[in-house]
Amino acid sequence: MSTQAWSTLLLFLGVLAAVSYPLAIYLTRIADPAPIRGIVGKLERIIYRAAGVDTAQDMPWTRYAMALLLFSALGVAVVYLTQRLQVWLPLNPQALANVTPDSAFDTAVSFVTNTNWQGYSGESTMSYFTQMVALAVQNFLSAATGISVAFALIRGFARRSAQGIGNFWVDLTRSTLYILLPLSLALAVIFMGQGVIQNFDTYKDVNTLESLTYSQPKLDAGGLPLKDDKGNAITETLTTHTQSLAMGPVASQEAIKMLGTNGGGFFNANSAHPFENPTPLTNFLQMISMLLIPAALCFTFGRMVGDTRQGWAVFVGMTVIFAVMATVALWAEQQGNPLFTPLGVDQTQSALQAGGNMEGKETRIGVVASALFATVTTAASCGATNAMHDSFTPLGGMVPMWLIELGEVVFGGVGSGLYGMLVFAIMAVFVAGLMIGRTPEYIGKKIESFEMKMTSIVILVTPFLVLVGAAIAVMTEAGRAGVFNPAAHGFSEILYALSSAANNNGSAFAGLSANTPFYNTLLAAAMWFGRFAFIVPVLGIAGSLAKKKRIEPTAGTLPTHGPLFVAMLVGTVVLVGALTYVPALALGPVVEHLQLYAIH
């Protein structure tokens, strides 16, 4: 790994720690139900009165979960109808047509679940009104929902003999009003200063300096690639002398897309597009903003339970896994393709690509920034991309795929990363308790049968959705028809899509044509149950823990803030991920890597 790669990784981790810790102090104040003074506090109270919310009501976990589910279902309906009616709605200067029913449903579920999977091209499908009123609004609300669940679980550990875990409507309002809105406003202004566009202009048609000749797969009436008798995709060669430059309110959506770990791009090229990510500074800020709130929530956890060491233990555990995975991705992409032979080298010999694997990457961004961005966006539940993950080397592409499959707990999404990692912490202390024949405890709360049943559901639900969904896709003609690349890489494309959907990431191996009724339905189901079949058991754990008394530590209590516990936590996360997904990964990226070097 080059000096540039090491220095970039260390700089990123250093800045992340430096900015996330002060933010944690602020988040702790927001999680406190005590009234907030000032003009914004008055605005908050006006919102409650208008909505008929009783802020003094402390919800039990069942009511908290029901409010969350109903709110999310309403969000799906609003986003779906906006897409289906967009041709008659304002702010549609391109007169874009209504979105098809299956694509609209898939997109609605996607944005409400904080997945932001996009089976469409944003600039040619969604009007400005749809982008802002439907998609950007859900970027805020789905992120605020994740933060609310994290606050509820932390209260479960912090409270003693309590019947409630907070008020969902208060948590949702405060997360939006005090955390996501001000941070997004500040970041959007910085982005505009760097050249990210923000307007309502019509698209600009310009003449290019040179004609462009390109090849693309031919598609049938259903949007699937046509194939010849041998199963190879049929392509067509086209030439153009003009280019249409898409406009729109990009900076405002870009900020919350990153801070809320949403990931849905205004443009199809996402953060590889110069109007979304124009400079090295915006690229770095986008990476920091993806992990800013997830990292800060680790320290918020420590402060709220009264022991900052607990927060540091979780943060260090996440950082260790992230650093190792980032190192692998950076190394793999800098190695390049062993079959690539530069000009001037004997064609009987192979040589590594000079400068690394540049396929699918922007020249202005480069290998290091692209590989680190891919690691960040899949360690979080963001899914934003500045390079094509489909074009990474087999091992380089396996890193983002496996990070997603670990449950995105390194650092994970806003809220979801923390509560996912705390579930693994419960599993770790349970295993430790089994080894010494003692009832496990975590943060002074006994971990008993109910908590372990809920933990088991949380850990098993997403692998079930991923592996069963991938099996359905490869066994059906409709699933196989969307695969552009054959053999091991084609399986990797399907596995990545289901992993991304069920774990609410949203990135993809782009060789899969997923905007079809089959995949829109399959992935929507994976996204919905991957989000809410995960959240409901977490809230159950929070409610059960809140009712328990706090137990004082004894000589037999396992310390959960030292190096031993961090090692146990990391081991639990990696071991569960290995046992669950390694067989599937062996059929995809591992086989592809071995084939690549066998040919070499």
Side-chain angles (χ1 to χ4, degrees):
M1 218 165 84
S2 67
T3 302
Q4 178 197 2
W6 282 116
S7 59
T8 303
L9 177 59
L10 293 175
L11 174 64
F12 173 79
L13 292 175
V15 172
L16 179 65
V19 296
S20 59
Y21 190 83
L23 180 60
I25 301 173
Y26 177 71
L27 296 183
T28 304
R29 175 67 184 92
I30 301 305
D32 189 335
I36 293 179
R37 300 176 180 177
I39 297 176
V40 182
K42 292 180 180 179
L43 175 60
E44 178 189 357
R45 290 186 285 276
I46 291 173
I47 294 173
Y48 296 145
R49 284 197 297 269
V53 174
D54 180 7
T55 59
Q57 185 180 58
D58 199 28
M59 294 180 175
W61 78 267
T62 50
R63 186 165 183 178
Y64 198 103
M66 185 59 66
L68 186 151
L69 291 173
L70 290 175
F71 180 75
S72 300
L74 178 62
V76 171
V78 171
V79 177
Y80 176 81
L81 289 174
T82 304
Q83 295 174 84
R84 297 289 293 137
L85 301 173
Q86 77 171 4
V87 73
W88 299 293
L89 296 173
L91 294 176
N92 186 5
Q94 301 304 119
L96 297 174
N98 294 331
V99 183
T100 59
D102 58 294
S103 180
F105 176 69
D106 177 77
T107 302
V109 173
S110 173
F111 276 76
V112 169
T113 58
N114 201 242
T115 309
N116 295 51
W117 172 275
Q118 295 175 290
Y120 59 88
S121 297
E123 62 266 49
S124 61
T125 305
M126 301 297 182
S127 68
Y128 297 163
F129 186 89
T130 303
Q131 293 269 22
M132 294 188 301
V133 175
L135 306 187
V137 167
Q138 284 303 320
N139 283 349
F140 281 96
L141 298 180
S142 62
T145 299
I147 296 174
S148 300
V149 176
F151 284 165
L153 182 57
I154 296 173
R155 292 190 193 107
F157 285 107
R159 292 183 173 181
R160 308 182 185 189
S161 304
Q163 296 301 310
I165 56 174
N167 187 303
F168 172 70
W169 306 114
V170 173
D171 290 340
L172 183 76
T173 302
R174 287 193 166 192
S175 297
T176 304
L177 192 61
Y178 296 120
I179 301 172
L180 297 174
L181 274 173
L183 287 175
S184 296
L185 177 60
L187 189 61
V189 170
I190 296 173
F191 282 163
M192 286 188 287
Q194 288 293 304
V196 179
I197 64 172
Q198 180 76 14
N199 59 54
F200 295 102
D201 296 345
T202 56
Y203 292 4
K204 311 294 184 183
D205 291 324
V206 298
N207 294 319
T208 57
L209 296 177
E210 298 178 353
S211 61
L212 175 65
T213 301
Y214 61 98
S215 296
Q216 66 179 23
K218 281 189 174 182
L219 304 178
D220 61 19
L224 297 174
L226 294 171
K227 298 181 180 181
D228 59 23
D229 296 337
K230 297 182 180 179
N232 297 318
I234 301 174
T235 60
E236 58 181 346
T237 301
L238 302 173
T239 300
T240 181
H241 302 276
T242 62
Q243 182 178 358
S244 179
L245 299 181
M247 300 285 106
V250 178
S252 55
Q253 185 162 320
E254 191 70 15
I256 184 57
K257 149 189 164 180
M258 296 302 182
L259 286 166
T261 61
N262 299 283
F266 192 97
F267 301 109
N268 189 45
N270 210 284
S271 288
H273 199 293
F275 286 174
E276 280 198 30
N277 186 15
T279 68
L281 178 60
T282 59
N283 194 73
F284 188 80
L285 288 177
Q286 287 182 15
M287 289 192 292
I288 288 293
S289 59
M290 280 188 274
L291 297 189
L292 175 62
I293 298 176
L297 282 170
C298 295
F299 302 121
T300 302
F301 166 66
R303 296 179 67 86
M304 288 180 65
V305 299
D307 186 353
T308 56
R309 298 174 300 177
Q310 303 293 339
W312 275 105
V314 174
F315 178 83
V316 171
M318 291 180 175
T319 303
V320 168
I321 300 175
F322 175 84
V324 171
M325 299 301 278
T327 301
V328 173
L330 289 164
W331 171 82
E333 290 307 297
Q334 286 189 310
Q335 294 301 299
N337 190 332
L339 301 183
F340 179 80
T341 305
L343 295 175
V345 176
D346 187 345
Q347 296 297 308
T348 62
Q349 302 176 359
S350 294
L352 295 178
Q353 283 177 275
N357 175 35
M358 278 299 297
E359 180 186 343
K361 298 179 177 66
E362 283 286 302
T363 304
R364 63 190 177 85
I365 296 175
V367 172
V368 171
S370 298
L372 182 57
F373 197 105
T375 307
V376 172
T377 195
T378 50
S381 68
C382 189
T385 57
N386 69 357
M388 297 296 287
H389 294 183
D390 195 41
S391 297
F392 278 31
T393 62
L395 293 185
M398 187 175 72
V399 167
M401 189 188 303
W402 200 34
L403 278 170
I404 293 172
E405 292 169 344
L406 289 179
E408 294 181 313
V409 295
V410 187
F411 293 78
V414 286
S416 61
L418 178 64
Y419 61 70
M421 184 59 93
L422 292 180
V423 168
F424 276 107
I426 290 172
M427 175 64 76
V429 297
F430 176 74
V431 172
L434 290 179
M435 287 191 284
I436 62 175
R438 175 186 172 90
T439 302
E441 304 169 17
Y442 187 49
I443 320 293
K445 298 294 182 78
K446 285 187 176 182
I447 306 302
E448 298 174 304
S449 61
F450 179 81
E451 289 80 21
M452 289 314 303
K453 289 175 183 177
M454 295 298 102
T455 296
S456 299
I457 293 173
V458 169
I459 290 177
L460 293 175
V461 65
T462 47
F464 175 83
L465 293 169
V466 172
L467 299 177
V468 172
I472 292 172
V474 299
M475 289 191 300
T476 57
E477 181 61 32
R480 295 192 299 271
V483 178
F484 181 67
N485 297 293
H489 193 73
F491 175 74
S492 294
E493 290 171 351
I494 293 175
L495 181 63
Y496 195 109
L498 270 299
S499 300
S500 180
N503 289 281
N504 304 128
N505 183 268
S507 63
F509 273 8
L512 184 69
S513 297
N515 192 13
T516 63
F518 173 82
Y519 276 110
N520 283 333
T521 304
L522 179 65
L523 295 177
M527 288 185 283
W528 181 266
F529 289 104
R531 175 73 161 177
F532 299 112
F534 195 108
I535 281 178
V536 172
V538 167
L539 292 175
I541 294 172
S544 177
L545 293 175
K547 295 177 182 178
K548 296 182 178 183
K549 295 181 179 180
R550 198 84 174 262
I551 302 172
E552 294 300 323
T554 65
T557 301
L558 172 69
T560 54
H561 52 73
L564 176 61
F565 178 73
V566 171
M568 288 183 59
L569 181 59
V570 170
T572 301
V573 173
V574 174
L575 186 60
V576 170
L579 292 176
T580 306
Y581 290 107
V582 161
L585 292 171
L587 297 175
V590 173
V591 166
E592 191 179 357
H593 174 78
L594 295 176
Q595 289 175 331
L596 186 66
Y597 279 84
I599 296 173
H600 172 56

